[in-house]
CSV table of all heavy atoms in Angstrom, one decimal:
chain,number,residue,atom,x,y,z
A,1,GLY,N,0.8,-1.2,0.0
A,1,GLY,CA,0.0,0.0,0.0
A,1,GLY,C,0.8,1.3,0.0
A,1,GLY,O,0.3,2.4,-0.2
A,2,ARG,N,2.1,1.2,0.3
A,2,ARG,CA,3.0,2.3,0.3
A,2,ARG,C,4.1,2.3,-0.8
A,2,ARG,O,4.5,3.3,-1.3
A,2,ARG,CB,3.7,2.4,1.7
A,2,ARG,CG,2.8,2.6,2.8
A,2,ARG,CD,3.5,2.9,4.1
A,2,ARG,NE,4.4,1.8,4.5
A,2,ARG,CZ,5.7,1.9,4.6
A,2,ARG,NH1,6.3,3.1,4.5
A,2,ARG,NH2,6.5,0.9,5.0
A,3,PHE,N,4.5,1.1,-1.1
A,3,PHE,CA,5.6,0.9,-2.1
A,3,PHE,C,5.0,0.3,-3.4
A,3,PHE,O,4.0,-0.5,-3.4
A,3,PHE,CB,6.7,0.0,-1.6
A,3,PHE,CG,7.5,0.5,-0.5
A,3,PHE,CD1,7.2,1.7,0.1
A,3,PHE,CD2,8.7,-0.2,-0.1
A,3,PHE,CE1,8.0,2.2,1.2
A,3,PHE,CE2,9.5,0.3,0.9
A,3,PHE,CZ,9.2,1.5,1.5
A,4,THR,N,5.6,0.7,-4.5
A,4,THR,CA,5.2,0.1,-5.8
A,4,THR,C,6.4,-0.3,-6.6
A,4,THR,O,7.3,0.5,-6.9
A,4,THR,CB,4.4,1.1,-6.6
A,4,THR,OG1,3.2,1.5,-5.9
A,4,THR,CG2,3.9,0.5,-8.0
A,5,ILE,N,6.4,-1.6,-7.0
A,5,ILE,CA,7.5,-2.1,-7.9
A,5,ILE,C,7.1,-2.0,-9.3
A,5,ILE,O,5.9,-2.3,-9.6
A,5,ILE,CB,8.0,-3.5,-7.5
A,5,ILE,CG1,9.2,-3.9,-8.2
A,5,ILE,CG2,6.8,-4.5,-7.6
A,5,ILE,CD1,9.8,-5.2,-7.7
A,6,SER,N,8.0,-1.6,-10.2
A,6,SER,CA,7.6,-1.6,-11.6
A,6,SER,C,8.9,-1.8,-12.4
A,6,SER,O,10.0,-1.9,-11.9
A,6,SER,CB,7.0,-0.2,-12.0
A,6,SER,OG,7.9,0.8,-11.8
A,7,ARG,N,8.8,-2.0,-13.7
A,7,ARG,CA,9.9,-2.3,-14.6
A,7,ARG,C,9.7,-1.7,-15.9
A,7,ARG,O,8.6,-1.5,-16.4
A,7,ARG,CB,10.2,-3.8,-14.6
A,7,ARG,CG,9.2,-4.6,-15.3
A,7,ARG,CD,9.4,-6.1,-15.1
A,7,ARG,NE,10.6,-6.5,-15.7
A,7,ARG,CZ,11.3,-7.6,-15.3
A,7,ARG,NH1,10.8,-8.4,-14.4
A,7,ARG,NH2,12.4,-8.0,-16.0
A,8,ASP,N,10.8,-1.4,-16.6
A,8,ASP,CA,10.8,-1.0,-18.0
A,8,ASP,C,11.8,-1.9,-18.7
A,8,ASP,O,13.0,-1.8,-18.6
A,8,ASP,CB,11.3,0.5,-18.1
A,8,ASP,CG,11.2,1.0,-19.5
A,8,ASP,OD1,11.2,0.2,-20.5
A,8,ASP,OD2,11.2,2.2,-19.7
A,9,ASN,N,11.2,-2.9,-19.4
A,9,ASN,CA,12.0,-3.9,-20.1
A,9,ASN,C,12.8,-3.3,-21.3
A,9,ASN,O,13.8,-3.9,-21.7
A,9,ASN,CB,11.2,-5.1,-20.6
A,9,ASN,CG,10.8,-6.0,-19.4
A,9,ASN,OD1,11.3,-5.9,-18.3
A,9,ASN,ND2,9.8,-6.9,-19.6
A,10,ALA,N,12.4,-2.2,-21.8
A,10,ALA,CA,13.2,-1.6,-22.9
A,10,ALA,C,14.4,-0.9,-22.3
A,10,ALA,O,15.4,-0.7,-23.1
A,10,ALA,CB,12.3,-0.5,-23.6
A,11,LYS,N,14.4,-0.6,-21.1
A,11,LYS,CA,15.6,0.1,-20.4
A,11,LYS,C,16.3,-0.8,-19.5
A,11,LYS,O,17.3,-0.4,-18.9
A,11,LYS,CB,15.1,1.3,-19.6
A,11,LYS,CG,14.5,2.4,-20.5
A,11,LYS,CD,14.2,3.6,-19.7
A,11,LYS,CE,13.6,4.8,-20.5
A,11,LYS,NZ,13.3,6.0,-19.7
A,12,ASN,N,15.9,-2.1,-19.4
A,12,ASN,CA,16.5,-3.0,-18.4
A,12,ASN,C,16.6,-2.5,-17.0
A,12,ASN,O,17.7,-2.6,-16.4
A,12,ASN,CB,17.9,-3.4,-18.9
A,12,ASN,CG,17.9,-4.4,-20.1
A,12,ASN,OD1,16.8,-4.7,-20.6
A,12,ASN,ND2,19.1,-4.8,-20.6
A,13,THR,N,15.5,-1.9,-16.6
A,13,THR,CA,15.5,-1.2,-15.3
A,13,THR,C,14.3,-1.6,-14.5
A,13,THR,O,13.2,-1.7,-15.0
A,13,THR,CB,15.6,0.3,-15.4
A,13,THR,OG1,16.7,0.7,-16.2
A,13,THR,CG2,15.6,1.0,-14.1
A,14,VAL,N,14.5,-1.9,-13.2
A,14,VAL,CA,13.4,-2.1,-12.3
A,14,VAL,C,13.4,-1.0,-11.2
A,14,VAL,O,14.5,-0.5,-10.9
A,14,VAL,CB,13.5,-3.5,-11.6
A,14,VAL,CG1,14.8,-3.6,-10.8
A,14,VAL,CG2,12.3,-3.8,-10.7
A,15,TYR,N,12.2,-0.6,-10.8
A,15,TYR,CA,12.1,0.6,-10.0
A,15,TYR,C,11.3,0.2,-8.7
A,15,TYR,O,10.6,-0.8,-8.6
A,15,TYR,CB,11.2,1.7,-10.6
A,15,TYR,CG,11.8,2.1,-12.0
A,15,TYR,CD1,11.3,1.6,-13.2
A,15,TYR,CD2,12.8,3.1,-12.0
A,15,TYR,CE1,11.8,2.1,-14.4
A,15,TYR,CE2,13.3,3.5,-13.2
A,15,TYR,CZ,12.8,3.0,-14.4
A,15,TYR,OH,13.3,3.4,-15.6
A,16,LEU,N,11.5,1.0,-7.6
A,16,LEU,CA,10.8,0.8,-6.4
A,16,LEU,C,10.4,2.2,-6.0
A,16,LEU,O,11.2,3.0,-5.5
A,16,LEU,CB,11.6,0.2,-5.3
A,16,LEU,CG,10.8,-0.2,-4.0
A,16,LEU,CD1,9.7,-1.2,-4.3
A,16,LEU,CD2,11.7,-0.6,-2.9
A,17,GLN,N,9.1,2.6,-6.2
A,17,GLN,CA,8.5,3.8,-5.7
A,17,GLN,C,8.1,3.7,-4.3
A,17,GLN,O,7.3,2.8,-4.0
A,17,GLN,CB,7.3,4.2,-6.6
A,17,GLN,CG,6.7,5.5,-6.1
A,17,GLN,CD,7.5,6.7,-6.3
A,17,GLN,OE1,8.2,6.9,-7.3
A,17,GLN,NE2,7.6,7.6,-5.3
A,18,MET,N,8.6,4.5,-3.4
A,18,MET,CA,8.4,4.4,-2.0
A,18,MET,C,7.7,5.7,-1.5
A,18,MET,O,8.3,6.7,-1.6
A,18,MET,CB,9.7,4.1,-1.2
A,18,MET,CG,10.5,2.9,-1.7
A,18,MET,SD,11.9,2.6,-0.7
A,18,MET,CE,12.9,4.1,-1.0
A,19,ASN,N,6.5,5.5,-1.0
A,19,ASN,CA,5.7,6.7,-0.5
A,19,ASN,C,5.4,6.5,1.0
A,19,ASN,O,5.6,5.4,1.5
A,19,ASN,CB,4.4,6.8,-1.3
A,19,ASN,CG,4.6,7.1,-2.7
A,19,ASN,OD1,5.6,7.7,-3.1
A,19,ASN,ND2,3.7,6.6,-3.6
A,20,SER,N,5.1,7.5,1.6
A,20,SER,CA,4.7,7.5,3.1
A,20,SER,C,5.8,6.8,3.9
A,20,SER,O,5.5,5.9,4.7
A,20,SER,CB,3.4,6.8,3.3
A,20,SER,OG,2.4,7.5,2.5
A,21,LEU,N,7.0,7.2,3.6
A,21,LEU,CA,8.2,6.5,4.3
A,21,LEU,C,8.1,6.7,5.8
A,21,LEU,O,7.8,7.8,6.3
A,21,LEU,CB,9.5,7.0,3.7
A,21,LEU,CG,9.8,6.4,2.3
A,21,LEU,CD1,10.8,7.3,1.6
A,21,LEU,CD2,10.3,5.0,2.5
A,22,LYS,N,8.6,5.6,6.5
A,22,LYS,CA,8.6,5.6,7.9
A,22,LYS,C,10.1,5.4,8.4
A,22,LYS,O,10.9,4.8,7.6
A,22,LYS,CB,7.8,4.5,8.4
A,22,LYS,CG,6.3,4.5,8.0
A,22,LYS,CD,5.6,3.2,8.4
A,22,LYS,CE,4.2,3.2,8.0
A,22,LYS,NZ,3.4,2.0,8.4
A,23,PRO,N,10.4,5.8,9.6
A,23,PRO,CA,11.8,5.5,10.1
A,23,PRO,C,12.1,4.1,10.0
A,23,PRO,O,13.3,3.7,9.7
A,23,PRO,CB,11.7,6.0,11.5
A,23,PRO,CG,10.7,7.1,11.5
A,23,PRO,CD,9.6,6.6,10.5
A,24,GLU,N,11.2,3.2,10.2
A,24,GLU,CA,11.5,1.7,10.1
A,24,GLU,C,11.8,1.2,8.7
A,24,GLU,O,12.1,0.1,8.5
A,24,GLU,CB,10.4,0.9,10.7
A,24,GLU,CG,9.0,1.2,10.2
A,24,GLU,CD,8.2,2.2,11.1
A,24,GLU,OE1,8.9,3.2,11.6
A,24,GLU,OE2,7.0,1.9,11.3
A,25,ASP,N,11.6,2.1,7.7
A,25,ASP,CA,12.0,1.8,6.3
A,25,ASP,C,13.5,2.0,6.1
A,25,ASP,O,14.0,1.7,5.0
A,25,ASP,CB,11.2,2.6,5.3
A,25,ASP,CG,9.7,2.2,5.3
A,25,ASP,OD1,9.4,1.0,5.4
A,25,ASP,OD2,8.9,3.2,5.2
A,26,THR,N,14.2,2.6,7.1
A,26,THR,CA,15.6,2.8,7.0
A,26,THR,C,16.4,1.5,6.8
A,26,THR,O,16.2,0.6,7.6
A,26,THR,CB,16.1,3.6,8.2
A,26,THR,OG1,15.5,4.9,8.3
A,26,THR,CG2,17.7,3.7,8.2
A,27,ALA,N,17.1,1.4,5.7
A,27,ALA,CA,17.8,0.2,5.3
A,27,ALA,C,18.7,0.4,4.1
A,27,ALA,O,18.5,1.4,3.4
A,27,ALA,CB,16.8,-0.9,5.1
A,28,VAL,N,19.5,-0.6,3.8
A,28,VAL,CA,20.1,-0.7,2.5
A,28,VAL,C,19.2,-1.5,1.6
A,28,VAL,O,18.8,-2.6,2.0
A,28,VAL,CB,21.5,-1.3,2.6
A,28,VAL,CG1,22.2,-1.4,1.2
A,28,VAL,CG2,22.4,-0.5,3.5
A,29,TYR,N,18.9,-1.0,0.5
A,29,TYR,CA,18.0,-1.6,-0.5
A,29,TYR,C,18.8,-2.3,-1.6
A,29,TYR,O,19.7,-1.6,-2.2
A,29,TYR,CB,17.0,-0.7,-1.0
A,29,TYR,CG,15.9,-0.3,0.0
A,29,TYR,CD1,16.2,0.5,1.1
A,29,TYR,CD2,14.6,-0.8,-0.1
A,29,TYR,CE1,15.2,0.8,2.1
A,29,TYR,CE2,13.6,-0.6,0.8
A,29,TYR,CZ,13.9,0.2,1.9
A,29,TYR,OH,13.0,0.5,2.9
A,30,TYR,N,18.5,-3.5,-1.9
A,30,TYR,CA,19.2,-4.3,-2.9
A,30,TYR,C,18.2,-4.8,-3.9
A,30,TYR,O,17.1,-5.3,-3.7
A,30,TYR,CB,19.8,-5.5,-2.2
A,30,TYR,CG,20.8,-5.2,-1.2
A,30,TYR,CD1,20.5,-5.1,0.2
A,30,TYR,CD2,22.2,-5.1,-1.5
A,30,TYR,CE1,21.4,-4.9,1.2
A,30,TYR,CE2,23.1,-4.8,-0.5
A,30,TYR,CZ,22.7,-4.7,0.8
A,30,TYR,OH,23.6,-4.5,1.8
A,31,CYS,N,18.8,-4.9,-5.1
A,31,CYS,CA,18.1,-5.5,-6.3
A,31,CYS,C,18.6,-6.9,-6.4
A,31,CYS,O,19.7,-7.2,-6.1
A,31,CYS,CB,18.5,-4.7,-7.5
A,31,CYS,SG,17.7,-5.1,-9.0
A,32,ASN,N,17.7,-7.8,-6.8
A,32,ASN,CA,18.1,-9.2,-6.9
A,32,ASN,C,17.4,-9.9,-8.1
A,32,ASN,O,16.3,-9.6,-8.5
A,32,ASN,CB,17.6,-9.9,-5.6
A,32,ASN,CG,17.7,-11.4,-5.7
A,32,ASN,OD1,16.8,-12.2,-6.0
A,32,ASN,ND2,18.9,-11.9,-5.4
A,33,VAL,N,18.2,-10.8,-8.7
A,33,VAL,CA,17.7,-11.7,-9.7
A,33,VAL,C,18.3,-13.1,-9.6
A,33,VAL,O,19.5,-13.2,-9.2
A,33,VAL,CB,18.0,-11.1,-11.1
A,33,VAL,CG1,19.5,-11.1,-11.4
A,33,VAL,CG2,17.3,-11.9,-12.2
A,34,TRP,N,17.5,-14.1,-9.9
A,34,TRP,CA,18.0,-15.5,-10.0
A,34,TRP,C,18.3,-15.8,-11.4
A,34,TRP,O,17.4,-15.6,-12.3
A,34,TRP,CB,17.0,-16.4,-9.4
A,34,TRP,CG,17.0,-16.5,-7.9
A,34,TRP,CD1,16.4,-15.6,-7.1
A,34,TRP,CD2,17.8,-17.4,-7.1
A,34,TRP,NE1,16.6,-16.0,-5.8
A,34,TRP,CE2,17.5,-17.0,-5.7
A,34,TRP,CE3,18.6,-18.4,-7.3
A,34,TRP,CZ2,18.0,-17.7,-4.7
A,34,TRP,CZ3,19.2,-19.1,-6.2
A,34,TRP,CH2,18.9,-18.8,-4.9
A,35,ARG,N,19.4,-16.4,-11.7
A,35,ARG,CA,19.8,-16.9,-13.0
A,35,ARG,C,20.5,-18.2,-12.9
A,35,ARG,O,21.6,-18.2,-12.3
A,35,ARG,CB,20.6,-15.8,-13.8
A,35,ARG,CG,20.9,-16.2,-15.2
A,35,ARG,CD,21.6,-15.0,-15.9
A,35,ARG,NE,21.9,-15.3,-17.3
A,35,ARG,CZ,23.1,-15.7,-17.7
A,35,ARG,NH1,24.1,-15.9,-16.8
A,35,ARG,NH2,23.3,-15.9,-19.0
A,36,TRP,N,20.0,-19.2,-13.6
A,36,TRP,CA,20.7,-20.5,-13.6
A,36,TRP,C,21.0,-21.0,-12.2
A,36,TRP,O,22.1,-21.5,-11.9
A,36,TRP,CB,22.0,-20.5,-14.5
A,36,TRP,CG,21.7,-20.3,-15.9
A,36,TRP,CD1,22.0,-19.2,-16.6
A,36,TRP,CD2,21.0,-21.1,-16.8
A,36,TRP,NE1,21.6,-19.3,-17.9
A,36,TRP,CE2,21.0,-20.5,-18.1
A,36,TRP,CE3,20.4,-22.4,-16.7
A,36,TRP,CZ2,20.4,-21.1,-19.2
A,36,TRP,CZ3,19.8,-23.0,-17.8
A,36,TRP,CH2,19.8,-22.3,-19.0
A,37,GLY,N,20.1,-20.8,-11.3
A,37,GLY,CA,20.3,-21.3,-9.9
A,37,GLY,C,21.2,-20.5,-9.0
A,37,GLY,O,21.5,-20.8,-7.9
A,38,THR,N,21.6,-19.3,-9.5
A,38,THR,CA,22.5,-18.4,-8.7
A,38,THR,C,21.8,-17.1,-8.5
A,38,THR,O,21.1,-16.6,-9.4
A,38,THR,CB,23.8,-18.2,-9.5
A,38,THR,OG1,24.5,-19.4,-9.7
A,38,THR,CG2,24.7,-17.2,-8.7
A,39,SER,N,21.9,-16.6,-7.3
A,39,SER,CA,21.3,-15.4,-6.9
A,39,SER,C,22.3,-14.3,-7.0
A,39,SER,O,23.4,-14.4,-6.5
A,39,SER,CB,20.8,-15.5,-5.4
A,39,SER,OG,20.1,-14.3,-5.0
A,40,TYR,N,21.9,-13.2,-7.7
A,40,TYR,CA,22.8,-12.1,-8.0
A,40,TYR,C,22.2,-10.8,-7.2
A,40,TYR,O,21.0,-10.6,-7.2
A,40,TYR,CB,22.9,-11.8,-9.4
A,40,TYR,CG,23.6,-12.9,-10.2
A,40,TYR,CD1,22.9,-13.9,-10.8
A,40,TYR,CD2,25.0,-12.8,-10.4
A,40,TYR,CE1,23.6,-14.9,-11.5
A,40,TYR,CE2,25.7,-13.8,-11.1
A,40,TYR,CZ,25.0,-14.9,-11.6
A,40,TYR,OH,25.6,-15.8,-12.3
A,41,TRP,N,23.2,-10.1,-6.7
A,41,TRP,CA,22.8,-8.9,-5.9
A,41,TRP,C,23.6,-7.7,-6.4
A,41,TRP,O,24.7,-7.8,-6.9
A,41,TRP,CB,23.2,-9.1,-4.5
A,41,TRP,CG,22.5,-10.3,-3.8
A,41,TRP,CD1,23.0,-11.5,-3.8
A,41,TRP,CD2,21.2,-10.3,-3.2
A,41,TRP,NE1,22.1,-12.3,-3.1
A,41,TRP,CE2,21.0,-11.6,-2.7
A,41,TRP,CE3,20.3,-9.3,-2.9
A,41,TRP,CZ2,19.8,-11.9,-2.1
A,41,TRP,CZ3,19.1,-9.6,-2.3
A,41,TRP,CH2,18.9,-10.9,-1.8
A,42,GLY,N,23.0,-6.5,-6.3
A,42,GLY,CA,23.7,-5.3,-6.5
A,42,GLY,C,24.4,-4.9,-5.2
A,42,GLY,O,24.4,-5.6,-4.2
A,43,GLN,N,25.0,-3.7,-5.3
A,43,GLN,CA,25.8,-3.2,-4.1
A,43,GLN,C,25.0,-2.6,-3.1
A,43,GLN,O,25.4,-2.4,-2.0
A,43,GLN,CB,26.9,-2.2,-4.6
A,43,GLN,CG,26.4,-0.8,-4.8
A,43,GLN,CD,25.5,-0.6,-6.0
A,43,GLN,OE1,25.4,-1.5,-6.9
A,43,GLN,NE2,24.9,0.6,-6.1
A,44,GLY,N,23.7,-2.3,-3.5
A,44,GLY,CA,22.8,-1.7,-2.5
A,44,GLY,C,22.8,-0.1,-2.5
A,44,GLY,O,23.8,0.5,-3.0
A,45,THR,N,21.7,0.4,-2.1
A,45,THR,CA,21.6,1.9,-2.0
A,45,THR,C,20.9,2.2,-0.6
A,45,THR,O,20.0,1.6,-0.3
A,45,THR,CB,20.8,2.5,-3.2
A,45,THR,OG1,20.9,3.9,-3.1
A,45,THR,CG2,19.4,2.0,-3.2
A,46,GLN,N,21.5,3.2,0.1
A,46,GLN,CA,21.1,3.5,1.4
A,46,GLN,C,19.9,4.4,1.4
A,46,GLN,O,19.9,5.5,0.8
A,46,GLN,CB,22.2,4.2,2.2
A,46,GLN,CG,21.8,4.6,3.6
A,46,GLN,CD,21.6,3.5,4.6
A,46,GLN,OE1,22.5,2.5,4.6
A,46,GLN,NE2,20.5,3.5,5.3
């Protein structure tokens, strides 16, 4: 109800729109994909 995930396959980009943010949302946020049984992660954004 507060966050919305979306993607643009033409741009190879996935988004996370975060509204009504709360102090408990404080975190490092990571993107993830599984490929051939392996989980891949980005470096994260604070």
